[in-house]
Amino acid sequence: MTHYSPQSFDVKGGPEDGRAHLPLLRAALETAGLDGFLIPHEDEYNNEYLPDCAERLAWATGFTGSAGSAIVLKDEACVFTDGRYTVQVREQVDPKIFQIEDVSETPPYVWLAKHAKAGSVIGYDPKLHSPDTLDRFKRAAEKAGAELVPVDTNPIDRAWENRPAAPSAKLSVQPMEFAGETHADKRKRVGEAIAEDGAEFAAITAPPSIAWLFNIRGGDVRRSPLALGAALIKSDGTATLFVNPEKVTDEVRAHLGNEVALRPEHEFADGLHALRGHTVSVDPGLASAWVFDQLTEGGAKIVRRRDPVLLPKAIKNDTELSGAKQAHIRDGTALTRFLHWLDTDAQSGEIDEIEAAVKLEQFRTASGQVKDLSFDTISGAGPNGALPHYRVSTASNRKLERGTLYLVDSGGQYPDGTTDVTRTVPIGDPNAEMRERFTLVLKGHIALSLARFPKGTTGGQLDTLARLPLWQAGLDYDHGTGHGVGSFLGVHEGPQRIAKAASDEPLKPGMIVSNEPGYYKPNAYGIRIENLIFVTGPDPIPGGERSMMGFENLTLAPIHRDLVDTSIMTDRELDWLNAYHADVRAKIAPLVEGEVKAWLEAATAPIAR
C-alpha cells in the first residue's frame, strides 16, 4: 500500500459545488448533443470508496456520501439517496437547483420516466452502470418517449477542470503467512468453479476479488488495500491480469509466475474481444455494462454468474482467522487506551469530535503495525451520534459535552486482518432513558452473539434476534445489522450479510460478519454496539439432534458498564457480558500498563445483579 494518509476534517462537497459545476456539465452535455445524463456514485470498478478522480457525483452535486446518484436534465436535476444520508444530502445539495428524493420512495428510473421529455436523448457512461440497472433505465426512458445512449467519454470528465490523476500505487505481495493459500491453489479452485458454471473463462472486475485471487495488495483506493485493474481467468486456472505496468514491481512479477500473464489495463477491451466463440462467466452485479458490451461485440457467449471469487474470499481459512484474531488483539489494545482516555481526560466536556478522532488514530498508529484506517472514523457527539454515517468536519465539529453520549465507529487495516468496531460512551452521567435504550441495544447484540443455527441459515433469518428487544419497546434502527469483512481487504464485503432484506446466501463457517444493532434519537444521541464475529461449527449440542453453527467473537474492547441497566437483563445476558469482559481482560491487560491497566480491570470487572 501507499504511505499511510492521516484523516482530514476539511469541509468537502457542499451546495457551492453543485452551483458551480452544474452549468459546466450542462454545457458539456449540449456539446455532446445530449439532453440529460445519469450520474451514479459508482466508479468503473464498483468500489465503495472511490479514488478522488472518480468522485463524479460529488463534483456535480456537492453530495459526498458513499451511496447515491443523480440525473441531470436540461431544465431540472435530482439527487437520490437513502435513509442514511437524509440530513447530509440536504446540507450539501442546493434544493434550488436539485430536487432531493429518497431512493426507497422514488427510485431514479421512476423519476426519469416521469421527467424525461419525449424525443430527448439521455446519456450514460456504460463503465459506471450494471446491465440490470441500465435495463430499468432503458424501460423508463422508453416509457417517457426518450432515448438512452452510451457515451465514449464521460461528459463530467470533459467538464471537470483540474481533475485528479488516476492513482498508480505500487502493488505488493500478500505473503503466505497471512494469505494461508497460494494464488496457484486459489486459481485452480476458482477455475474449477468456472467450469462448474459451464464457462471457459471468467471476467473478474472487482478489485477485492483480484487482490484475494492473486495474493496481491495495492494502494489505489483510500482506506482499502486495493489495486485498480481487471482479470480474465481460465477454467484451467491460468489467468491474465490487466494492470498498469508502473504498478508492477519485480517482486510482484516473480510472485505471479508463468501462469499469470500481465497486460496493461487499457488492453482489457482487446482481451475481451479475443474471446470470440468462448463462453465467459460475468457477474452482472459487479461488472459494468461496458464489459458485457465488449464481450457481445467480440462474439463471446456470456453466462451470467456470480463472481467465482466472492464465496471463497468470504470463507476465511485458518490462517486468515488466526490473523484476524491477532489483528483484533492489537486493535483492542489501541481501543482500550482510547476508551481509558475517553473515561478520564475527555470527561472534561472540552474535547471535541475531531480531537477524539485524532486521538484514536494516534493510539492505532502508535503500534507501528497498522497500515491504514479501514474507513474514516465516525466520531459523533450528542445529536451528531444520531446520524449513523456521520462524518465530522471543521464545520460540524461538536464538543463531547457532559450529560451526552459519544458514539465512535472506527477500524484499522493490518497485514493480517481488518477491524471495525463501534462503542458508545457516556460523557458525564447518562440519564435513565439513555441507559435503558443502550441496554436494549446490548440485549439484541448479545442475542445475535449467542445464536445457534443450522446449515442453510441466512443472515436475514437471524436479523430479528438483534432487533427484537428494541421492537418490543416500539423502537428500531434503519440500517443492516451485519456486513461481511475482508482479510486485509475491504471493511465491507459480501455475499453474506445480516439485514431485514431477504438474502439467499447461507452463512458458512469462516465467514466474518459485524454485529451492530443500534438506536438513534434524532437531534439527541445515537447508540451502536459493534463487534466483529465469525461463523463456527456446525457442532453438536448436548441433548440435541442436529449440529448447529454459531458465532465466535473477534473484537476486544470494553462495553461501558455505566450504560448497562441490569434490571432489564436476564441472567444469561449478564453471564455473556461478564464472560466477554473476562476475555477482553485476559487478552488485553498483559499489553497495557499503569493507569490504563487499572482502568481496564475495573471496566471489565464482573457485574452483579
Side-chain angles (χ1 to χ4, degrees), residues 41 43 46-50 66-67 84 221 389 490-493:
H41 175 265
D43 68 356
N46 205 23
N47 282 310
E48 178 180 13
Y49 302 118
L50 307 184
S66 64
R84 294 173 293 174
V221 180
H389 286 251
V491 74
H492 299 128
E493 74 169 23

Side-chain angles (χ1 to χ4, degrees), residues 266-277:
H266 66 80
E267 294 183 6
F268 187 42
D270 294 337
L272 295 172
H273 291 160
L275 297 178
R276 173 181 297 276

Side-chain angles (χ1 to χ4, degrees), residues 351-397:
I351 300 294
D352 63 37
E353 295 168 336
I354 290 177
E355 290 176 284
V358 169
K359 194 72 174 179
L360 176 53
E361 186 174 346
Q362 289 171 345
F363 281 125
R364 275 204 172 94
T365 56
S367 73
Q369 297 186 67
V370 70
K371 294 292 187 180
D372 199 351
L373 304 183
S374 55
F375 56 97
D376 287 331
T377 299
I378 296 171
S379 177
N384 287 341
L387 307 174
H389 286 251
Y390 171 69
R391 173 78 181 108
V392 60
S393 72
T394 53
S396 67
N397 192 23

Side-chain angles (χ1 to χ4, degrees), residues 215-231:
N215 283 347
I216 56 175
R217 298 296 187 265
D220 290 341
V221 180
R222 183 175 172 82
R223 308 304 184 209
S224 301
L226 304 174
L228 302 183

Side-chain angles (χ1 to χ4, degrees), residues 452-455 538-549:
R452 301 301 299 270
F453 47 95
K455 283 184 179 180
D539 298 312
I541 293 179
E545 297 177 351
R546 298 185 185 185
S547 292
M548 296 285 164
M549 298 190 292

Side-chain angles (χ1 to χ4, degrees), residues 39-62:
I39 309 173
H41 175 265
E42 288 77 15
D43 68 356
E44 295 88 331
Y45 309 90
N46 205 23
N47 282 310
E48 178 180 13
Y49 302 118
L50 307 184
D52 290 343
C53 64
E55 290 281 8
R56 298 179 178 93
L57 180 64
W59 179 89
T61 68

